[in-house]
Amino acid sequence: MSPEFDAIRLEIYWNRLTSIAEEQARGLIRTSFSTIAGEMEDLSCGVFDAGGTLVAQGATGTQGVLTGLSMGVKEMLKKYPAEKLAAGDVMIGNDPYLFCGHKYDCCVATPVFLKDRMVAVVASVLHVPDIGGAAYTMTSESTFEEGLTIPILKLFKKGELNQDVVDVIDANVRIPQEVMGDILAMVTANDIGMQRLVEFMEEQSLSDLDGICAAILSTTERALREGFATLPAGTWRSEAFMDGVDDMLKISVALTVKGNDLTVDFTGTSPQTRRGGVNTPYTFTLAYTALSIKSALVPYIPNNDGFYKVFNMIVPPGCFLNAIPPAPIIHRQLVCRPIAAAIFSALAKAVPDKVIADGGTPTMQVFYGTDNKKAMFFQALISSGGTGARPNKDGYSATCFPANIGTPPVEIIENVSPLLVAKKEFVTDSGGPGKYRGGLAERFTIKVNADLPATVNSAIEGIKTPAQGLMGGMAGMAAEATLDGVAVPGKGKYVIPPKGEFAFSMGGGGGCFAPAERPPEAVLDDVINGYVSVESARQHYKVSVDPVKRAINWEETRRLRAA
Amino acid sequence: MYRAGNDIGGTFTDTVVINEETGEWTVGKVLTTPTDPSVGAMTGIGAVLEAKRVKWDTVSNVVHGTTLVANTLIERKGSKTALICTRGFRDVLEERTQKRYDLYDLLFEVPKPLVPRYLRKEITERLLADGSVLVPLNTAEARQIAEELKREGVESTAVCFLHCYRNADHEHLMKSVLEKACPGMFVTCSADVVPEIREYPRESTIVANAYTGPLFSIYLSKMDDQLAAKGVGGYLYLMLSSGGITTSGVAKLRPVYALESGPAAGAIAASFYGELKGFDSVLSYDMGGTTAKMCLIDKGQPSTTKEFEVARVHRLKAGSGLLIHLPVMDMIEIGTGGGSIAWIDKLGLLKVGPESAASEPGPACYDKGGTEPTVTDADLVLGYLSAGYFLGGKMPLNLPKARAAIEERVARPLKIGVPEAAWGMIEVVNENMINAIRVYASAKGKDFRAYTIVAFGGAGPVHAYNLAQKLGVEKVLVPLGAGVLSALGLLMAPFTFHLVRSYMSPLDRVDLGQVNQLLKDMEKEGTSLLQQAGVDPKDITLQRSCEMRYIGQRREIEVRIPSGVLSAADIPAIETAYNNEYKRLFFRTYPGYKLQCLNWRVVATGPRPKVTLKRFPSGRHTIKAALKGTRQIYFPEFKGYRDCPVYDRYKLFENARIEGPVAIEERESTVVIGPGGHAVTDEYLNLLITVGGK
């Protein structure tokens, strides 16, 4: 802690900066134009010092965009250092390799001036509803097919909108009003953050954020290193698998703790995929590596750049966790789950009480077509699987992890598109059995209530690689996709005939510890509520339940558990 | 004749009885009786009446505020409740939004659904987004479900179908089947209580209504009977979260409307004082034992919002509670009150709250076994409170214990002195409030510096001056009797009914026939509810609004719309009103983007009851007569303690001027004014404080 910021001053300033970023994020949610931002909240906002170091971030958002934004702002300042920026300038960019890993995440940054001097940057990122190209394609062989790349540009110059940039975006996307509306919403959000930040600095007579930034970063770093020091010294290795597009992909990880240093080494991970975009850039791998470590060891520290500095990450270029441009990269979000799973299963060998089991993959399906009034529709639906069981409690059903994105209300979907949601319900027995049970998967059944067919670009992960259990817990149900009742591979483009039906599920969470250790009363409760079937209770949990009497057959249960 | 206001809080039940002719009022405090709160309520009212030698039958009506509904949810003491929903959707209640409220906490928890999955029954029926019927309700299934619920011993049932906000027929049909098959069961339909789009918030709300319904209606019936037996002729009225009042008859069917009745009453009282003093913009600041509540009030009208959470697992984390989607006074509540505990977090930073020492064991200075340093302990150490005059001297405070707690838990770990540690606690508390109020005010596009703070609650007057200084607010008003202001607010609230219907359409293609019909229906319903409550039709105000957004946006802005039959000529004005409001909030508009209407609202309001305050004659005295003595008080301007005068508030008179630094004591609270500031009393002994420069 630097001498000029005692514990009280630091607490007060830190809180204030975090609340400014949060205010910015609330403003962005209110003014955004798409379901993805407004209902699902796939966005993030941050306050940076003049050098581009992230000082504080709002609590809203997912780690992928949180980290991507932080890395991206530094790139923006490389192209436009302070001397090339003026009050009223606003920068924009979406290069997937520099920012958040896919082009939908557009970043907008506004330099903040105080008495003619640049003192800070406020920035926002948001997943725009379309970026052109073959939306969510599974066939792209390079990122050029994945839509429009916006290089780092000035969207506003001294307060004037750069119409050339707008025209290029408008000409490349399917729903320009929503896309530009979302981008301008970020400009508005940044204005809110800027206004508050200037007020704060004037009130506290601060001429820059350098001191507070250094104090926040060093406090974060110290706490993290103290967290690492609680780990026993040694190396833990693990692997996690995912379906990929054509071939299954493997993540290899080795965690090495030496004193209060931590190294995460992904050597041995599968090479980058040629087709379909299940690859991540360095920033995205860093994001979910940091999230996994932070969640397990120091969940209470607010996010800032202190995190990315304290551990060492080795990820060989050319593997699918550090793809080399122009490899396709659009489905990078499918990779966050196996990264967390690999790190947690390695950490489980050192600190089993601090990690959770693997869960279902949150993903996005995009439906598009023409409704009966001949209007085009384009609707993204996010759904999540069950989360993995925790070391002391069950996982949650249909809950997003490690990303954090909401599901859109059924009534909104049906008001803005000809899609009809036929069912949205938990699947019995989909949670991995364990002393603590994995969360249940949800099955989402979509019908097309129009005279014309609709198309879905589907990106379902985990059909071949269900969420694994931990420490004796069992795997959750695998993900699935069906078209009119017939199973289809989860990744691809499907045409849903009029009145036809597309159903999908993201899979259940893995269990923790052996299912036969689950108290029979908890199993009975699960059976009564339909989370677990009578058959599974008997087969996996070794509990005999009479569903009519809602009672445990104790004698038989003892016999089953003794065997 | 008299009117009585009675506010049941966690610890105390406050009563105010007011003489309708003279405006003179009397207050009383008794302990809350948690097992049967009506006992405390009746005792409390009775005690004040007795003290005034007033008979029960001269009481024309009673207005009641209660935390009963909130406590039923927090303590999970409601009825055995079922939910009937559209086939395929019984898990909406449990999956919530699918988002986690904390990005990193792997062990996070959300409240369990109020209805377990086996009591969430699906029925075959389906409406489309326009309200048309895709699949008719299967009545044979409905009867079968009713039989099952009866067998299960279900006491209360919520009915919530998809798109019912456009067509209530299926829900009503289901209700009639249940009422026939299960006499005595409490049945509540989402289309009647919260007819708004978005299934999860609606379902969460209607389930809470069902869960609390039976208990609340039994409780209110009991109050009705007891009051009638005492000879009280008028109705029992309930304060609603929105700041309006309604009859116990209506409240029995909609308990969730009364969830936040106590805090709402406080904001109403603050608006009253704002109007009395001619302040257009008031920031009400109510700081009690465990929380502080703040509300921005413009032109005597506290604004309402339509969503809040109750029973949060993490008090400060949005998303960790039960979602209630209903009009509620738009205020912020933060977990810092007099009992909030100071602690050092894992990063070595000083934090205060949200843990509270409550009344048991209480702050260390209560000397009832508490060892954690609280805000009240800091107030005592800094000289803001007097050890000998807490609650008018009824409860002596232990200064050495307060000092020891702060020394051990804050000063020593941070290697600073005790006064600096105590002052640090106050600074952190103020900063918590400032951060909360910034986010809150900016969402409303308001600049709080232009507001006058009205401070009340036990701890409000102690901290208001410093908070105002930090916020950049110039004036603070501390009403006389600030400690029981919420109960007084109960007597100042008008009858109000909030009605809403969802009809989603682009503004330029809106079916005006349909809009006029639904506005007319709502206005008719509001008027009839007010008339049932005894309001004269000529005193009824109807206010219409529509929540709109640019097409594609997911959050709406509420815009007033004209009265009377709407025609195409009104549309451009509505569009302009929206754009003006949007620009005020978000700096820009979107020319060429079309607008979409979502929810249509009508607020039907009766007249505001008249309350006059007792005047205190201007003094022949000088303020010397009110001087109790001096004591050492800490102010940051002095970086330490100074000997400061202490005044007795009850001995002040109209137009007395008091210079800071100073403490002014009354029974329920103490007003602290820093150096450079001063206060002037008005004819009601309210203190109007002017904040000094930094």
Side-chain angles (χ1 to χ4, degrees):
Chain A
M1 207 174 294
S2 87
E4 63 208 284
F5 292 101
D6 56 45
I8 295 164
R9 188 72 34 213
L10 181 58
E11 159 71 7
I12 288 171
Y13 283 16
W14 196 340
N15 250 342
R16 180 74 72 89
L17 290 168
T18 307
S19 90
I20 289 171
E22 184 60 22
E23 214 177 297
Q24 213 177 308
R26 294 284 124 205
L28 185 51
I29 291 166
R30 287 197 66 189
T31 55
S32 61
F33 274 80
S34 59
T35 319
I36 299 170
E39 304 279 3
M40 313 183 197
E41 304 185 3
D42 190 355
L43 48 85
S44 171
C45 293
V47 175
F48 299 74
D49 74 1
T53 300
L54 175 69
V55 192
Q57 215 154 27
T60 307
T62 70
Q63 191 70 40
V65 292
L66 289 171
T67 308
L69 179 67
S70 170
M71 301 302 142
V73 165
K74 293 165 191 50
E75 297 297 328
M76 286 173 155
L77 292 178
K78 271 187 208 160
K79 179 162 177 191
Y80 293 113
E83 62 270 18
K84 289 189 180 167
L85 288 169
D89 284 358
V90 178
M91 296 172 281
I92 184 171
N94 79 340
D95 184 325
Y97 280 92
L98 299 181
F99 292 86
C100 306
H102 64 193
K103 298 178 186 180
Y104 294 96
D105 296 328
C106 290
C107 296
V108 170
T110 305
V112 179
F113 286 80
L114 195 67
K115 298 188 186 93
D116 297 332
R117 195 169 138 243
M118 186 174 137
V119 291
V121 176
V122 288
S124 301
V125 53
L126 169 154
H127 184 134
V128 295
D130 185 40
I131 200 66
Y136 286 93
T137 166
M138 272 298 164
T139 57
S140 61
E141 294 182 359
S142 84
T143 192
F144 297 113
E145 298 166 48
E146 297 173 336
L148 172 71
T149 301
I150 307 168
I152 295 168
L153 292 171
K154 283 191 185 175
L155 177 63
F156 281 79
K157 289 178 182 167
K158 296 186 180 166
E160 279 298 310
L161 179 64
N162 184 345
Q163 191 60 40
D164 294 346
V165 176
V166 178
D167 290 348
V168 169
I169 294 171
D170 278 357
N172 274 279
V173 302
R174 296 170 179 84
I175 34 180
Q177 275 209 342
E178 281 193 37
V179 172
M180 266 327 291
D182 272 350
I183 288 173
L184 290 174
M186 286 192 275
V187 179
T188 300
N190 289 356
D191 285 349
I192 293 172
M194 174 165 67
Q195 215 174 56
R196 299 297 175 264
L197 185 64
V198 167
E199 277 168 22
F200 164 66
M201 293 179 74
E202 282 175 346
E203 173 198 315
Q204 298 293 331
S205 312
L206 293 173
S207 56
D208 56 51
L209 294 177
D210 300 355
I212 180 70
C213 181
I216 288 176
L217 260 58
S218 66
T219 306
T220 303
E221 189 176 335
R222 182 171 45 89
L224 265 173
R225 290 197 185 277
E226 279 167 10
F228 296 162
T230 63
L231 292 168
T235 296
W236 299 278
R237 293 171 197 283
S238 188
E239 289 175 343
F241 294 88
M242 64 183 293
D243 299 358
V245 184
D246 295 315
D247 303 306
M248 213 184 269
L249 299 170
K250 179 178 86 175
I251 293 177
S252 287
V253 69
L255 296 178
T256 301
V257 175
K258 228 189 248 171
N260 56 14
D261 280 317
L262 174 70
T263 301
V264 184
D265 186 350
F266 286 107
T267 303
T269 295
S270 301
Q272 67 189 45
T273 48
R274 193 185 59 79
R275 187 180 82 110
V278 181
N279 288 313
T280 70
Y282 182 88
T283 56
F284 194 83
T285 302
L286 177 64
Y288 280 95
T289 300
L291 173 126
S292 308
I293 291 168
K294 179 165 152 50
S295 306
L297 302 179
V298 283
Y300 47 85
I301 304 179
N303 195 54
N304 61 63
D305 268 356
F307 269 109
Y308 311 117
K309 294 166 72 181
V310 288
F311 65 88
N312 182 20
M313 187 174 90
I314 299 167
V315 46
C319 82
F320 87 103
L321 296 183
N322 189 5
I324 297 168
I329 207 162
I330 195 167
H331 291 294
R332 52 74 167 142
Q333 71 279 358
L334 300 180
V335 186
C336 61
R337 168 205 151 203
I339 293 176
I343 293 175
F344 284 165
S345 61
L347 276 175
K349 296 171 184 169
V351 278
D353 56 330
K354 301 227 162 157
V355 296
I356 67 173
D358 190 8
T361 313
T363 64
M364 176 140 59
Q365 326 300 321
V366 179
F367 295 80
Y368 54 96
T370 311
D371 68 16
N372 285 350
K373 290 175 190 153
K374 305 267 181 280
M376 197 175 85
F377 73 94
F378 193 82
Q379 183 65 38
L381 296 188
I382 288 185
S383 165
S384 290
T387 67
R390 287 86 67 86
N392 59 357
K393 41 189 142 177
D394 293 346
Y396 276 108
S397 303
T399 295
C400 196
F401 185 89
N404 196 21
I405 301 173
T407 190
V410 171
E411 290 173 347
I412 296 283
I413 297 170
E414 295 187 358
N415 261 287
V416 299
S417 75
L419 301 177
L420 183 80
V421 181
K423 277 181 192 166
K424 197 170 190 281
E425 59 187 359
F426 298 162
V427 182
T428 303
D429 289 336
S430 59
K435 177 181 178 186
Y436 301 106
R437 178 176 45 68
L440 271 63
E442 162 187 83
R443 188 175 288 128
F444 217 136
T445 307
I446 306 287
K447 282 189 173 182
V448 177
N449 191 30
D451 300 333
L452 292 166
T455 304
V456 55
N457 279 356
S458 168
I460 292 161
E461 170 58 42
I463 293 181
K464 290 178 259 176
T465 51
Q468 297 302 301
L470 264 187
M471 301 173 278
M474 296 172 68
M477 184 191 83
E480 53 171 39
T482 58
L483 179 61
D484 279 336
V486 180
V488 293
K491 297 193 181 75
K493 178 187 275 194
Y494 303 105
V495 175
I496 312 169
K499 314 292 171 195
E501 190 174 282
F502 184 76
F504 57 97
S505 162
M506 299 308 156
C512 255
F513 305 114
E517 291 173 30
R518 188 168 177 84
E521 293 83 357
V523 177
L524 172 65
D525 194 59
D526 280 352
V527 172
I528 291 171
N529 283 301
Y531 300 122
V532 169
S533 66
V534 173
E535 296 72 34
S536 172
R538 189 183 177 87
Q539 189 190 340
H540 299 117
Y541 294 93
K542 313 291 179 203
V543 175
S544 166
V545 172
D546 180 334
V548 179
K549 287 189 192 146
R550 291 188 188 157
I552 298 164
N553 182 336
W554 284 102
E555 205 176 312
E556 204 182 344
T557 298
R558 269 189 289 273
R559 201 167 56 237
L560 286 167
R561 290 203 158 180
Chain B
M1 293 297 276
Y2 292 82
R3 300 176 69 220
N6 177 266
D7 180 25
I8 302 185
T11 318
F12 290 106
T13 297
D14 294 347
T15 302
V16 174
V17 171
I18 196 160
N19 181 324
E20 288 184 292
E21 284 81 45
T22 64
E24 191 192 353
W25 44 280
T26 315
V27 303
K29 250 183 206 295
V30 296
L31 280 171
T32 294
T33 49
T35 39
D36 179 0
S38 70
V39 173
M42 294 303 291
T43 324
I45 301 169
V48 176
L49 294 178
E50 199 166 311
K52 291 294 291 175
R53 296 177 190 285
V54 169
K55 291 214 177 75
W56 276 97
D57 58 12
T58 58
V59 176
S60 60
N61 58 55
V62 174
V63 187
H64 194 33
T66 174
T67 51
L68 187 68
V69 184
N71 287 346
T72 305
L73 291 170
I74 293 165
E75 293 164 10
R76 295 272 169 157
K77 289 186 176 158
S79 306
K80 185 167 186 181
T81 304
L83 166 71
I84 303 176
C85 62
T86 306
R87 183 164 302 287
F89 296 91
R90 72 163 158 165
D91 294 316
V92 165
L93 193 66
E94 186 167 339
E95 66 173 57
R96 300 159 65 94
T97 63
Q98 298 198 357
K99 275 191 67 160
R100 292 167 294 126
Y101 59 85
D102 186 309
L103 197 50
Y104 304 110
D105 184 2
L106 299 176
L107 302 179
F108 78 102
E109 261 189 274
V110 295
K112 271 195 168 177
L114 293 169
V115 180
R117 194 165 189 253
Y118 80 98
L119 291 177
R120 305 199 294 255
K121 301 286 184 186
E122 297 179 331
I123 187 162
T124 306
E125 70 82 37
R126 188 65 150 90
L127 301 176
L128 293 176
D130 61 1
S132 61
V133 177
L134 179 70
V135 181
L137 183 98
N138 183 325
T139 45
E141 246 177 68
R143 282 192 293 273
Q144 199 183 325
I145 289 172
E147 287 309 315
E148 281 173 35
L149 298 187
K150 204 150 82 176
R151 266 202 309 278
E152 294 282 2
V154 166
E155 300 158 295
S156 185
T157 300
V159 182
C160 187
F161 297 154
L162 285 177
H163 301 300
C164 67
Y165 54 91
R166 289 300 302 276
N167 177 354
D169 292 353
H170 282 186
E171 287 196 3
H172 288 161
L173 187 54
M174 186 69 231
K175 184 178 179 180
S176 69
V177 170
L178 283 172
E179 282 174 341
K180 208 172 287 169
C182 314
M185 183 189 278
F186 186 94
V187 182
T188 181
C189 296
S190 74
D192 296 334
V193 177
V194 49
E196 276 186 67
I197 189 168
R198 291 190 179 97
E199 65 276 6
Y200 166 61
R202 189 173 69 245
E203 197 162 294
S204 177
T205 306
I206 198 64
V207 161
N209 201 52
Y211 186 76
T212 53
L215 270 182
F216 198 57
S217 51
I218 290 168
Y219 165 76
L220 288 181
S221 299
K222 205 171 191 174
M223 285 285 291
D224 277 335
D225 294 347
Q226 291 184 40
L227 289 170
K230 293 280 189 189
V232 175
Y235 283 104
L236 170 66
Y237 297 116
L238 259 292
M239 184 83 197
L240 306 176
S241 316
S242 61
I245 57 173
T246 192
T247 57
S248 59
V250 173
K252 281 173 196 170
L253 303 177
R254 300 175 173 190
V256 277
Y257 276 69
L259 257 168
E260 294 282 286
S261 63
I268 295 278
S271 340
F272 169 83
Y273 280 94
E275 282 201 315
L276 179 80
K277 303 300 293 177
F279 303 141
D280 271 353
S281 314
V282 163
L283 168 55
S284 87
Y285 168 54
D286 174 5
M287 185 170 173
T290 47
T291 64
K293 284 145 256 170
M294 286 173 287
C295 180
L296 291 172
I297 301 163
D298 290 310
K299 299 192 166 57
Q301 277 297 324
S303 62
T304 52
T305 177
K306 51 176 195 175
E307 201 169 272
F308 64 110
E309 282 182 280
V310 64
R312 279 189 180 163
V313 177
H314 286 275
R315 200 198 315 240
L316 298 179
K317 290 197 172 155
S320 70
L322 298 169
L323 187 64
I324 303 292
H325 195 86
L326 279 179
V328 60
M329 202 152 275
D330 190 4
M331 47 172 60
I332 36 165
E333 182 168 9
I334 64 163
T336 14
S340 297
I341 294 170
W343 51 290
I344 307 296
D345 77 356
K346 291 175 184 161
L347 300 177
L349 302 177
L350 174 63
K351 303 265 179 186
V352 181
E355 257 344 278
S356 169
S359 53
E360 291 290 337
C365 63
Y366 281 16
D367 210 358
K368 294 199 307 197
T371 53
E372 305 286 350
T374 66
V375 173
T376 302
D377 293 311
D379 287 339
L380 182 62
V381 164
L382 295 170
Y384 300 155
L385 296 178
S386 154
Y389 193 69
F390 194 69
L391 288 183
K394 273 195 226 160
M395 195 172 149
L397 301 179
N398 186 324
L399 178 59
K401 290 236 160 120
R403 193 171 308 194
I406 293 174
E407 159 91 63
E408 183 169 331
R409 300 292 165 95
V410 183
R412 204 174 302 151
L414 294 182
K415 300 187 182 72
I416 54 178
V418 172
E420 289 71 31
W423 175 248
M425 286 165 62
I426 303 300
E427 274 214 287
V428 168
V429 165
N430 282 333
E431 193 63 26
N432 287 346
M433 294 190 203
I434 289 166
N435 283 330
I437 203 163
R438 267 172 194 284
V439 175
Y440 159 77
S442 93
K444 295 154 70 80
K446 299 282 165 72
D447 183 351
F448 48 78
R449 286 172 298 194
Y451 285 66
T452 301
I453 291 179
V454 176
F456 54 102
V462 182
H463 296 266
Y465 184 88
N466 188 248
L467 181 71
Q469 212 171 20
K470 298 259 318 177
L471 283 172
V473 167
E474 272 174 43
K475 301 273 183 191
V476 179
L477 181 76
V478 186
L480 183 66
V484 290
L485 211 64
S486 295
L488 187 59
L490 294 170
L491 298 177
M492 298 165 166
F495 282 104
T496 308
F497 291 96
H498 289 256
L499 301 125
V500 60
R501 300 278 188 279
S502 287
Y503 164 46
M504 205 164 155
S505 161
L507 180 63
D508 61 353
R509 278 188 278 148
V510 77
D511 176 349
L512 284 167
Q514 202 166 146
V515 169
N516 283 318
Q517 188 59 46
L518 60 87
L519 288 170
K520 201 172 128 196
D521 289 349
M522 284 192 285
E523 291 180 342
K524 207 172 131 200
E525 187 182 340
T527 307
S528 120
L529 284 166
L530 286 173
Q531 278 180 286
Q532 282 169 39
V535 175
D536 191 326
K538 72 174 170 16
D539 292 330
I540 294 174
T541 318
L542 297 166
Q543 186 185 306
R544 298 168 165 189
S545 61
C546 179
E547 285 161 24
M548 295 191 295
R549 57 196 195 187
Y550 290 115
I551 291 182
Q553 284 191 319
R554 303 298 144 174
R555 291 291 182 274
E556 301 83 43
I557 288 178
E558 197 170 332
V559 175
R560 291 268 196 104
I561 53 176
S563 52
V565 177
L566 297 181
S567 72
D570 292 312
I571 301 295
I574 295 174
E575 189 167 356
T576 307
Y578 178 88
N579 281 324
N580 289 345
E581 179 65 4
Y582 197 88
K583 188 159 192 179
R584 188 182 72 76
L585 288 168
F586 302 117
F587 320 124
R588 61 171 50 81
T589 58
Y590 293 80
Y593 281 54
K594 288 186 170 167
L595 294 176
Q596 182 177 45
C597 313
L598 211 68
N599 293 318
W600 303 78
R601 295 182 180 274
V602 166
V603 180
T605 314
R608 199 185 277 201
K610 287 197 175 53
V611 174
T612 42
L613 299 178
K614 188 181 166 189
R615 286 166 189 267
F616 291 80
S618 173
R620 302 174 295 274
H621 331 278
T622 61
I623 64 163
K624 248 189 199 156
L627 186 67
K628 296 174 91 171
T630 64
R631 72 166 173 262
Q632 290 275 307
I633 304 184
Y634 182 100
F635 286 104
E637 289 89 340
F638 304 140
K639 294 197 165 52
Y641 289 89
R642 270 288 158 92
D643 219 24
C644 301
V646 178
Y647 288 95
D648 180 344
R649 182 150 183 193
Y650 303 110
K651 291 189 179 156
L652 294 176
F653 43 87
E654 187 181 353
N655 266 329
R657 182 183 163 107
I658 302 161
E659 302 290 335
V662 67
I664 304 162
E665 295 182 339
E666 63 184 310
R667 270 188 300 277
E668 303 90 0
S669 191
T670 299
V671 185
V672 177
I673 302 172
H678 70 267
V680 177
T681 51
D682 66 9
E683 66 270 43
Y684 312 107
L685 284 199
N686 300 316
L687 280 167
L688 182 61
I689 302 168
T690 304
V691 178
K694 279 187 190 175

